[in-house]
């Protein structure tokens, strides 16, 4: 296999060619996370007959220029795709691939680049679709901790320091509590000129809306424990290309099967081998049309067809405490642990179900319907669902946060979406539902003044009232034994 390094439009680019005479199909990975970290991946593609190309995006690592996240990737990607197709090693066919931000680079190449620069297939893993998509929940609530971590590690710098936020928190444990959050760069001690502008992006869903115009096959890969699960599923559902495949397992953003209550050895997938096999079929037009895929059922060894979804189920809820509570942003409910106070002034509404009489397979969307009131003009409502095992261990299941601007004191009915679950719950499990005003530091604190939480210089407490009789937990439950599937067969047919 022949490796070489070159520049394309000034951007640092590594190429690894297969043994033998070409030309070959090519795969392109454009990344802000250092192309050198993809050397093993390039070797794997080349061993299987692909010309493999990895490139540092503009302003990062080996590539000169100014690093402006989400701004230059269509034009730079298009120039690189054209360059690849002009090379003697290329047979003209191109797969754009990547994970996280690199998935964004692959997708804009397929959706926004001119026709002669578009790839013939796209692999998008845990796609960080755009600035607005990554910074906010669909409801508009700000994802503070995740964005602070990413910007501290990668923002406005040529290299990366993955531990930057952890080191800053070790020096100042209250780092994220300082007001306003827009002032974070000064607290970190370095310039982050793009940090304030991140929060001005509100156009969520641009790539999802464009997905209907796609004309190439898609393989979308995500994890149940990833921030971007909903975006991954939406991309797959809306894709307009000839075929779309979804692989969704009990993984986090790194797509690693970690030991835990919902992981099983059957959920370990050789993604590299699967990507290559799928790419071959995509480039030869041998994938069946339509959308297909596989979802790993956490807490079991099963894989289910991606179209599997349960029927509505609303378990009975019993109020434990806190029908009236105070959401105090000076003392917010923590997103970092699952402990709940047993006494004192309630800081959340706490409800619980009876023990499950039999195992329950929850597959599909989860919602909480509320009738509630806040005495402030702006209020966030955070709903957190936790499984309590018969042994008393708490396991996080799902979280949703929505922002409301109802008239102060008016009882209003509304719904808080908690995303999707694919989880087997053992018999004897109780479900605990917490309704709170904050979920910090995962999400920025609503100051309750009506001001932008990122720029707000002051915080007010908010009195909340929840109608327990008007609170419904809505799950999607399989009523019969699920039909297992083979994930590779679903992806490769």
């Amino acid at each position: 296999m022949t490796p070489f390094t070159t520049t394309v439009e000034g951007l640092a680019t590594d190429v690894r060619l297969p043994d033998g005479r070409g030309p070959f199909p090519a795969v392109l990975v454009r990344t802000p996370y250092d192309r050198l970290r993809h050397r093993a991946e390039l070797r794997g593609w080349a061993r299987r007959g692909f010309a493999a190309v990895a490139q540092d995006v503009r302003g990062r690592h080996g590539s000169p220029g100014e690093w402006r996240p989400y701004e230059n990737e269509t034009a730079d990607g298009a120039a690189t795709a054209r360059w690849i197709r002009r090379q003697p090693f290329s047979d003209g066919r191109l797969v754009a691939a990547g994970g996280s931000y690199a998935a964004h680079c692959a997708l804009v190449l397929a959706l926004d680049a001119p026709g002669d620069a578009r790839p013939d297939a796209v692999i998008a893993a845990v796609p960080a679709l755009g600035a607005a998509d990554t910074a906010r929940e669909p409801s508009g609530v700000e994802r503070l901790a995740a964005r602070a971590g990413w910007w501290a590690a990668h923002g406005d710098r040529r290299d990366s320091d993955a531990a930057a936020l952890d080191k800053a928190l070790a020096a100042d444990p209250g780092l994220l509590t300082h007001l306003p959050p827009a002032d974070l760069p000064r607290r970190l001690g370095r310039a982050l000129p793009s940090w304030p502008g991140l929060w001005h992006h509100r156009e969520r869903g641009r790539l999802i809306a464009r997905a209907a115009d796609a004309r190439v096959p898609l393989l979308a890969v995500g994890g149940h424990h990833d921030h971007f699960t909903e975006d991954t599923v939406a991309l797959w559902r809306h894709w307009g290309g000839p075929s779309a495949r979804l692989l969704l397992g009990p993984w986090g953003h790194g797509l690693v099967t970690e030991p835990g209550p919902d992981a099983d050895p059957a959920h370990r997938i050789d993604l590299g081998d699967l990507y290559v096999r799928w790419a071959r079929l995509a480039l030869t037009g041998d994938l069946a049309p339509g959308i297909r895929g596989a979802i790993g059922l956490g807490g079991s060894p099963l894989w289910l067809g991606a179209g599997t979804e349960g029927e509505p189920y609303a378990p009975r809820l019993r109020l434990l405490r806190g029908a009236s509570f105070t959401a105090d942003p000076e003392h917010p409910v923590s997103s970092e642990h699952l402990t709940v106070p047993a006494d004192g002034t309630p800081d959340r509404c706490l409800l619980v179900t009876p023990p499950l009489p039999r195992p329950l397979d929850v597959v599909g969307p989860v919602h909480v319907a509320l009738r509630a009131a806040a005495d402030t003009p702006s209020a966030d409502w955070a709903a957190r669902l936790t499984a309590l095992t018969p042994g008393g261990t708490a396991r996080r299941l799902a979280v949703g946060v929505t922002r409301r601007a109802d008239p102060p004191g008016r009882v209003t009915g509304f719904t808080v979406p908690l995303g999707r679950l694919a989880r087997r719950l053992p018999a004897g499990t109780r479900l605990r539902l917490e309704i709170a005003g904050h979920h910090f530091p995962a999400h920025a604190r609503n100051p309750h003044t009506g001001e932008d939480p990122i720029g707000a210089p002051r915080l007010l407490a908010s009195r909340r009232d929840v109608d327990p009789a008007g609170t419904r937990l809505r799950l999607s439950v399989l009523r019969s034994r699920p039909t297992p599937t083979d994930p590779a067969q679903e992806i490769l047919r």
Side-chain angles (χ1 to χ4, degrees), residues 143-155 164-166 169 175-176 181 184 188 190 192 195 198-199 441-442:
R143 293 168 171 159
L144 178 63
R147 290 299 85 194
W150 195 90
W151 244 256
H154 310 293
L165 185 62
D166 288 340
L169 286 169
L175 176 72
L176 297 179
L184 177 68
L188 287 172
R190 71 177 184 87
L192 278 174
W195 172 254
L198 165 67
W199 305 104

Side-chain angles (χ1 to χ4, degrees), residues 6-352:
T6 187
T7 59
V8 179
E9 298 291 314
L11 305 181
T13 307
D14 284 355
V15 181
R16 184 169 285 268
L17 301 180
D19 293 331
R21 299 182 60 183
F24 310 102
V27 61
L28 170 63
V29 178
R30 304 191 64 255
T31 178
Y33 304 125
D34 191 355
R35 74 190 193 283
L36 301 182
R37 297 176 61 185
H38 290 269
R39 285 175 169 172
E41 182 181 350
L42 298 192
R43 288 195 298 269
W45 282 103
R47 277 198 304 269
R48 292 165 174 85
F50 284 78
V53 182
Q55 182 181 78
D56 289 329
V57 301
R58 185 173 300 278
R60 291 286 287 168
H61 297 280
S63 290
E66 186 175 351
W67 166 225
R68 294 180 176 177
Y70 295 100
E71 290 190 17
N72 298 311
E73 308 314 350
T74 300
D76 287 346
T80 304
R82 290 191 184 103
W83 177 85
I84 291 171
R85 286 186 165 130
R86 291 198 305 265
Q87 301 310 301
F89 62 72
S90 169
D91 69 5
R93 296 178 297 166
L94 177 64
V95 178
S100 194
Y101 186 96
H104 167 83
C105 295
L107 287 164
V108 295
L109 197 57
L111 297 174
D112 294 339
D116 64 336
R118 292 186 181 179
D120 301 287
V122 178
I123 299 171
V126 289
L129 294 178
D133 306 79
T134 61
R136 299 177 186 274
E137 300 291 351
S139 63
V141 176
E142 300 82 1
R143 293 168 171 159
L144 178 63
R147 290 299 85 194
W150 195 90
W151 244 256
H154 310 293
D156 299 295
R157 58 189 299 164
R158 180 167 299 282
D159 61 354
S160 293
D161 180 1
L165 185 62
D166 288 340
K167 289 186 286 190
L169 286 169
D172 179 6
L175 176 72
L176 297 179
T177 67
H178 295 299
L179 296 176
D183 200 29
L184 177 68
R186 186 174 66 83
R187 299 283 178 180
L188 287 172
R190 71 177 184 87
L192 278 174
S194 66
W195 172 254
L198 165 67
W199 305 104
H200 297 156
H201 293 279
R202 295 182 179 272
E203 188 191 356
R204 255 188 142 268
R206 187 188 71 82
L207 285 184
I208 299 295
R210 293 276 291 110
D213 300 326
R215 294 295 178 264
V216 302
L218 169 75
L219 172 56
V221 182
H224 301 320
H225 308 303
D226 179 48
H227 292 299
F228 310 132
T229 306
E230 291 298 295
D231 291 335
T232 304
V233 174
L235 181 72
W236 168 73
R237 288 191 184 278
H238 289 83
W239 195 256
S243 67
R245 300 291 183 265
L246 174 71
L247 184 68
L248 199 63
W251 312 315
H253 195 64
L255 297 179
V256 176
T257 304
E258 301 286 355
D262 65 339
D264 187 272
H267 297 135
R268 295 193 180 99
I269 300 290
D270 184 342
L271 290 177
D273 180 68
L274 189 66
Y275 290 173
V276 170
R277 295 168 66 191
W278 178 87
R280 286 178 179 150
L281 295 172
L283 293 179
T284 57
D286 289 329
L287 291 171
I291 62 172
R292 298 179 183 276
I295 298 176
L297 182 63
S300 82
L302 297 181
W303 286 90
L304 310 177
T308 304
E309 196 160 292
E311 300 175 16
Y313 172 64
R316 181 166 58 89
L317 290 169
R318 177 172 62 90
L319 176 69
L320 293 182
R321 67 192 306 258
S324 295
F325 67 93
T326 299
D328 184 353
E330 295 284 3
H331 304 283
V333 170
S334 173
S335 59
E336 298 184 320
H337 60 76
L338 298 178
T339 56
V340 297
D343 50 25
T345 302
D347 65 351
R348 72 200 81 183
C349 179
L350 198 61
L351 306 104
V352 68

